Amino acid sequence: MVFKRRTAFSYFAAISISAHAASAAENITAPEAKNYYVEAASYGTMPETEPPRYVRTLSKTGIEQFKDYNWLDAGLESRFRYEYRKNDFRRSSSKLDEPLLWRNRAYIGIHDILDPLRMTVEFQDSRRYNSDYARDNRDVNEFDFIQAYGELYFKNALGSEKPLSIRLGRMAYEVMDRRLIARNEWRNTTNSFQGVRALFGENKNDWQLELMALQPLDRLLYDIDKPIENQWFYGGIATWRKWSDIVTLQPFYLGLHQDAEIGVTERMIHSPGIRGYGFIGDTGFDYDTQFVYQFGRSGNQRQRAFGSVTEIGYRWKEEEWKPRLSVNYGYASGDENPSDFKNERFERFFGFARPWSNNDYFQWENIHAPKARIEFQPDKKLRIDTGYSAYWLASDTDRWNNANLRDNTGRSGDF
């Protein structure tokens, strides 16, 4: 059946106000240790820090009573957002929606004083008001813990300034460019996992390795989130920074195992890939590129999919506002024929959609997406960017997921 085209545009606007009780934690590096870490210049790819940016060690707050509390991290955050969405493609009807989204967080982390034992707890309360649509877990997840884990931390286990960390419990975090594993900071609710995560080395080291075996949590609107019992997410991410003056390399493997049950298809998705980013000398040019291949099984279909993202940018460093012009192209394969025994739809796992569209209408699945963007910074506390995007389906017979539309015949076109 051919889906009916919508002739109306979808309008989206949002005003977000965020208040933090503490500024970002600082990463102090010993003067004698070389720091190999280079932050990618590509747009929106900087992972949330650990601990998050709203958290600070109490001894660094400047409050006299807390000057000796260098073992305790704490933070409070409250974010309120008003959205104006007309003809929201994600909804079954096209009426005006003006939701009020409110998210509150609290964080406590204990470190150093009980080493090698450390502990972290992060609480979140997500609510939505003033909307006629049914509440869903994109916006609502009341009174829950997105992090609650114990950690064994050995500072020099792998040599001088190379730690080993083993975490067990509930975790919410981001890695690489956030396109495959993210907290989803724009969304009112947060991705979270339960399981074990081991980190060999840290950001400033010349190499780093992360291993994980996790169960995604089912975000329940009003109850404590529970692990999805029939699903496991696991893998490893290596980071090679020895050549970080030229390139930082991140080869990785991610896997998703989902057992079959009523209404759920058995899936086994293997996803090797590699990311490389860096700067081209002192030319002002930067780059960030990633390639992912996927194979395995999805029900009675063979999984064969591919995704890639490449961004090239140029920054005028001598200009006061430091403008940066960039071009970006993203691709993710789509399923060509729903009736054959091969599934070509790219699996984005638990990534976020913000790099693809500010209003979350598009994501890294079945897509061709070129974009041009310019960014500038009039003040150290103010950044502004604007861009132009275009979107095509990689396969016109596969779905546009966030709009819940699919034309198996392909006669509706791909733009």
Side-chain angles (χ1 to χ4, degrees):
M1 178 179 291
V2 180
F3 62 74
K4 185 178 179 180
R5 288 178 181 265
R6 296 190 185 185
T7 56
F9 290 99
S10 178
Y11 299 98
F12 166 78
I15 298 175
S16 181
I17 299 175
S18 180
H20 305 290
S23 60
E26 297 179 0
N27 183 16
I28 304 299
T29 303
E32 68 275 7
K34 180 176 179 179
N35 190 338
Y36 289 89
Y37 178 73
V38 173
E39 181 179 321
S42 47
Y43 179 83
T45 59
M46 178 63 182
E48 178 61 279
T49 57
E50 295 187 63
R53 287 168 289 180
Y54 72 91
V55 176
R56 191 169 182 181
T57 304
L58 289 188
S59 62
K60 298 176 183 177
T61 60
I63 301 174
E64 179 66 22
Q65 290 84 347
F66 295 152
K67 67 179 182 180
D68 296 324
Y69 287 77
N70 58 357
W71 50 270
L72 184 61
D73 293 337
L76 295 171
E77 179 189 62
S78 184
R79 187 183 76 176
F80 181 86
R81 182 165 77 238
Y82 160 77
E83 293 186 353
Y84 178 95
R85 291 182 183 261
K86 187 176 183 181
N87 300 333
D88 189 344
F89 290 130
R90 304 172 304 168
R91 307 297 186 182
S92 58
S93 59
S94 56
K95 57 188 175 184
L96 176 64
D97 191 28
E98 298 182 83
L100 303 173
L101 303 175
W102 193 17
R103 189 182 73 189
N104 293 285
R105 287 175 173 171
Y107 182 102
I108 292 289
I110 299 173
H111 54 86
D112 294 305
I113 194 169
L114 299 174
D115 276 2
L117 180 62
R118 299 183 172 191
M119 290 170 281
T120 293
V121 174
E122 187 174 13
F123 166 86
Q124 179 170 294
D125 181 60
S126 302
R127 300 174 183 247
R128 187 186 74 194
Y129 304 98
N130 195 46
S131 177
D132 293 330
Y133 293 104
R135 292 177 177 175
D136 57 55
N137 65 7
R138 289 182 301 200
D139 298 331
V140 179
N141 189 208
E142 296 184 358
F143 295 114
D144 219 320
F145 291 96
I146 58 174
Q147 298 205 83
Y149 65 84
E151 177 181 12
L152 290 175
Y153 183 86
F154 304 96
K155 184 175 182 179
N156 297 308
L158 307 175
S160 178
E161 300 292 327
K162 282 192 172 72
L164 167 63
S165 168
I166 302 173
R167 302 175 181 180
L168 180 65
R170 185 168 294 195
M171 289 163 270
Y173 66 100
E174 299 184 322
V175 293
M176 296 189 294
D177 61 358
R178 308 196 286 174
R179 287 189 171 94
L180 294 171
I181 305 176
R183 286 166 59 109
N184 268 298
E185 287 299 290
W186 171 259
R187 197 180 65 206
N188 208 42
T189 59
T190 300
N191 289 339
S192 192
F193 306 89
Q194 184 168 297
V196 62
R197 182 182 175 210
L199 298 104
F200 302 81
E202 59 184 353
N203 278 351
K204 68 181 181 181
N205 297 149
D206 55 350
W207 65 268
Q208 190 176 10
L209 175 65
E210 174 178 341
L211 302 176
M212 70 195 83
L214 306 164
Q215 285 184 286
L217 293 183
D218 186 8
R219 298 189 305 275
L220 303 176
L221 301 187
Y222 311 113
D223 296 321
I224 297 297
D225 295 350
K226 296 180 180 179
I228 302 175
E229 294 294 341
N230 66 331
Q231 195 173 101
W232 279 91
F233 182 57
Y234 53 85
I237 302 168
T239 302
W240 179 255
R241 301 188 183 92
K242 194 75 172 181
W243 308 321
S244 59
D245 291 343
I246 303 171
V247 61
T248 295
L249 289 173
Q250 293 183 304
F252 61 89
Y253 164 81
L254 299 174
L256 180 68
H257 182 203
Q258 179 175 284
D259 293 328
E261 60 177 5
I262 298 176
V264 177
T265 300
E266 181 181 10
R267 304 178 72 208
M268 183 66 249
I269 308 298
H270 303 282
S271 189
I274 188 169
R275 178 195 182 202
Y277 69 86
F279 296 83
I280 304 176
D282 296 325
T283 64
F285 283 97
D286 61 79
Y287 64 93
D288 192 341
T289 186
Q290 181 175 184
F291 302 92
V292 187
Y293 177 67
Q294 295 181 341
F295 63 96
R297 299 200 68 81
S298 181
N300 63 349
Q301 295 182 313
R302 292 182 297 120
Q303 177 81 12
R304 296 292 186 272
F306 176 75
S308 67
V309 183
T310 298
E311 178 169 322
I312 298 175
Y314 179 80
R315 187 178 298 279
W316 286 267
K317 296 181 180 180
E318 66 278 3
E319 298 294 332
E320 183 179 0
W321 287 9
K322 296 181 175 60
R324 178 178 179 266
L325 177 67
S326 63
V327 290
N328 179 292
Y329 173 71
Y331 170 81
S333 58
D335 189 34
E336 294 293 339
N337 184 351
S339 301
D340 65 9
F341 293 96
K342 185 166 64 173
N343 178 31
E344 299 105 340
R345 181 186 299 155
F346 186 77
E347 169 61 58
R348 71 183 184 111
F349 296 124
F350 304 95
F352 75 145
R354 288 284 288 169
W356 307 102
S357 66
N358 287 349
N359 48 27
D360 283 355
Y361 289 150
F362 303 93
Q363 61 189 36
W364 200 12
E365 175 191 294
N366 187 31
I367 197 171
H368 288 285
K371 183 158 191 168
R373 178 186 286 110
I374 188 166
E375 311 162 53
F376 50 94
Q377 190 167 353
D379 182 81
K380 64 180 180 180
K381 294 184 179 181
L382 176 64
R383 295 182 181 180
I384 299 173
D385 66 80
T386 185
Y388 180 81
S389 305
Y391 303 95
W392 289 263
L393 299 175
S395 169
D396 56 12
T397 56
D398 199 8
R399 69 185 184 184
W400 173 16
N401 187 37
N402 278 11
N404 194 31
L405 294 173
R406 181 173 188 174
D407 174 11
N408 292 341
T409 70
R411 292 199 297 268
S412 298
D414 58 6
F415 183 72

